[in-house]
């Protein structure tokens, strides 16, 4: 036994000296950024397309495989922290002894959800939403005015980066969606993202981060989000579809060209019943423009925790359905038609 340990130790030392790392010890592959492109682990440009699993706890076993079969290569997954949502969605744990600041049951559910996506080979964008922290609804108590809560949020991200830094297919960390703090300039919002990015980089230097502009991720304010704090930054903005559905495309492509940086749409979607021809045409126009311009996107959303068939969601709750879910088949067919390259 002693001889075996000595031989193993010598072999390990030889590998370290040669620069060869055993496969079991190798870190999982990661996406990266090259100019205006997100690139896969082989260095090839990849346009991330997929769905949001936007409503907490609604993911079903079949969802990851269905996405992959339709051509999706990515998914956006939330953790909601410090806000007001229904059905115990807020994951913040006020227990000071819990240094993660995340309720254990919520963390377990998040991990199971991430594992489902990872096992299917879907690149994951993990985002931490905070209605209160972002200043939603004009709330004056937010991350820009409350240093204690900002510090807790930073510790949340450092905990998550440490926990998932070796998870396969962890594609990006989206720091905070839709900032709209009252009276805070674009520069102040950018400084917040810079601080959080550097805090994440203390733990994980490989996984890209996603940042966006002030005023609820307004595409017209992308310029104010531009940063040089880190080379692995993916920019984003919201693209909910209303009138003039193509009115933000030029702002996106101009910003991407001006700075040679990637832009990915974290949320694109439109309310509409299954037979709403007008809404579906607007969706085709926008998804077609994304396709023509090489803009990645995540559709909002795959399942909604609600029973209204005419709002967002490919699936909605229906107590009369065998599994409790009703499918808007025409909408699934439409979105799926733009997933494959």
């Amino acid at each position: 036994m002693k001889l075996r340990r000595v031989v193993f130790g010598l072999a390990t030392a030889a590998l370290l000296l040669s620069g060869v790392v055993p496969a079991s010890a190798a870190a999982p592959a990661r996406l990266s950024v090259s100019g205006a492109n997100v690139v896969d682990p082989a260095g090839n440009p990849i346009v991330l397309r997929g769905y949001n699993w936007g409503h907490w706890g609604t993911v079903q076993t079949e969802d990851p495989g269905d996405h992959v079969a339709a051509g999706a290569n990515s998914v956006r997954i939330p953790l909601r922290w410090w806000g007001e949502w229904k059905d115990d969605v807020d994951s913040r744990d006020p227990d000071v002894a819990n240094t993660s600041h995340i309720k254990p049951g919520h963390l377990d559910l998040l991990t199971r959800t991430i594992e489902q996506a990872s096992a299917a080979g879907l690149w994951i964008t993990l985002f931490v939403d905070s209605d209160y922290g972002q200043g939603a609804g004009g709330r004056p108590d937010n991350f820009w005015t409350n240093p204690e809560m900002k510090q807790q949020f930073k510790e949340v991200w450092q905990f998550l980066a440490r926990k998932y830094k070796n998870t396969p297919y962890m594609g990006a960390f989206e720091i905070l969606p839709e900032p709209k703090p009252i009276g805070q300039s674009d520069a102040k919002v950018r400084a917040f993202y810079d601080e959080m990015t550097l805090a994440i980089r203390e733990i994980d230097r490989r996984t890209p981060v996603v940042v966006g502009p002030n005023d609820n991720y307004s595409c017209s304010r992308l310029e104010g989000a531009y940063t040089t704090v880190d080379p692995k930054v993916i920019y984003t903005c919201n693209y909910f579809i209303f009138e003039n559905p193509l009115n933000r495309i030029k702002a996106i492509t101009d910003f991407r060209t001006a700075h040679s940086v990637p832009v990915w749409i974290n949320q694109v979607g439109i309310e509409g019943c299954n037979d709403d021809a007008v809404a579906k045409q607007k969706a085709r126009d926008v998804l077609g423009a994304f396709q023509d311009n090489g803009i990645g996107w995540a559709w909002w959303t795959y399942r909604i925790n609600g029973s209204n068939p005419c709002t967002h969601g490919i699936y909605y709750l229906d107590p009369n359905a065998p599994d409790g879910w009703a499918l808007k088949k025409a909408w699934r067919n439409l979105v799926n038609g733009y997933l494959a390259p």
Side-chain angles (χ1 to χ4, degrees):
M1 181 64 71
K2 184 175 180 181
L3 178 60
R4 191 177 304 167
R5 286 199 298 267
V6 171
V7 171
F8 176 78
L10 290 172
T12 302
L15 284 171
L16 291 173
L17 287 171
S18 68
V20 176
V21 179
S24 60
R30 283 290 182 258
L31 300 175
S32 192
V33 171
S34 178
N37 295 313
V38 178
V39 295
D40 67 16
N44 301 310
I46 180 172
V47 178
L48 299 173
R49 300 185 183 96
Y51 285 99
N52 275 274
W53 290 349
H55 283 213
W56 180 251
T58 59
V59 180
Q60 303 298 296
T61 304
E62 65 271 21
D63 292 352
D66 288 349
H67 295 344
V68 172
N73 59 12
S74 63
V75 66
R76 183 172 179 256
I77 296 175
L79 179 73
R80 307 207 186 273
W81 190 89
W82 195 37
E84 188 172 349
W85 299 281
K86 64 180 181 179
D87 300 331
D88 190 34
V89 168
D90 190 352
S91 298
R92 180 175 177 266
D93 188 350
D95 183 357
V96 294
N98 181 357
T99 56
S100 76
H101 310 296
I102 302 169
K103 295 175 184 175
H106 284 228
L107 182 60
D108 290 344
L109 176 56
L110 177 64
T111 297
R112 291 196 300 273
T113 303
I114 286 172
E115 287 173 347
Q116 285 179 272
S118 177
L122 290 166
W123 288 106
I124 299 156
T125 297
L126 173 61
F127 71 99
V128 183
D129 190 22
S130 178
D131 274 357
Y132 292 169
Q134 69 197 25
R139 183 182 173 89
D141 183 18
N142 56 55
F143 291 141
W144 285 264
T145 61
N146 189 327
E148 178 183 357
M149 293 308 297
K150 184 173 82 167
Q151 179 61 30
Q152 285 193 21
F153 187 71
K154 183 186 297 184
E155 291 165 4
V156 166
W157 262 118
Q158 290 188 315
F159 174 85
L160 293 173
R162 185 176 292 109
K163 183 173 181 61
Y164 299 121
K165 68 181 293 185
N166 290 317
T167 298
Y169 290 97
M170 182 55 68
F173 296 136
E174 183 183 345
I175 294 171
L176 177 72
E178 300 173 326
K180 195 173 183 179
I182 293 175
Q184 302 293 335
S185 66
D186 291 354
K188 290 288 184 65
V189 170
R190 184 175 62 250
F192 170 83
Y193 283 128
D194 286 354
E195 183 176 345
M196 295 299 153
T197 297
L198 293 175
I200 290 170
R201 289 295 180 246
E202 292 177 16
I203 312 299
D204 181 342
R205 303 192 65 83
R206 301 172 64 236
T207 305
V209 297
V210 176
V211 304
N214 201 354
D215 194 23
N216 284 331
Y217 269 179
S218 171
C219 293
S220 66
R221 295 175 73 160
L222 274 166
E223 187 63 38
Y226 179 66
T227 180
T228 58
V229 74
D230 189 89
K232 295 179 181 177
V233 174
I234 301 168
Y235 294 85
T236 194
C237 60
N238 276 343
Y239 213 111
F240 289 109
I241 304 167
F242 306 107
E243 298 301 320
N244 303 315
L246 301 181
N247 64 347
R248 285 156 281 176
I249 299 295
K250 188 174 186 300
I252 294 167
T253 56
D254 283 354
F255 174 77
R256 183 178 65 183
T257 299
H259 297 289
S260 189
V261 292
V263 181
W264 163 81
I265 303 303
N266 71 314
Q267 298 177 124
V268 56
I270 186 171
E271 294 188 330
C273 304
N274 204 43
D275 59 353
D276 189 334
V278 173
K280 284 189 281 191
Q281 186 55 55
K282 288 180 180 179
R284 289 190 193 95
D285 290 344
V286 170
L287 294 178
F290 288 171
Q291 186 174 60
D292 292 344
N293 288 280
I295 300 169
W297 50 271
W299 184 262
W300 185 267
T301 185
Y302 199 60
R303 295 179 187 268
I304 61 165
N305 186 16
S307 58
N308 184 347
C310 294
T311 187
H312 298 279
I314 301 298
Y315 284 88
Y316 60 93
L317 292 173
D318 182 355
N320 298 314
D323 63 353
W325 291 99
L327 167 66
K328 292 157 66 171
K329 189 174 182 179
W331 277 101
R332 185 179 67 177
N333 291 345
L334 188 158
V335 178
N336 282 358
Y338 291 90
L339 287 175

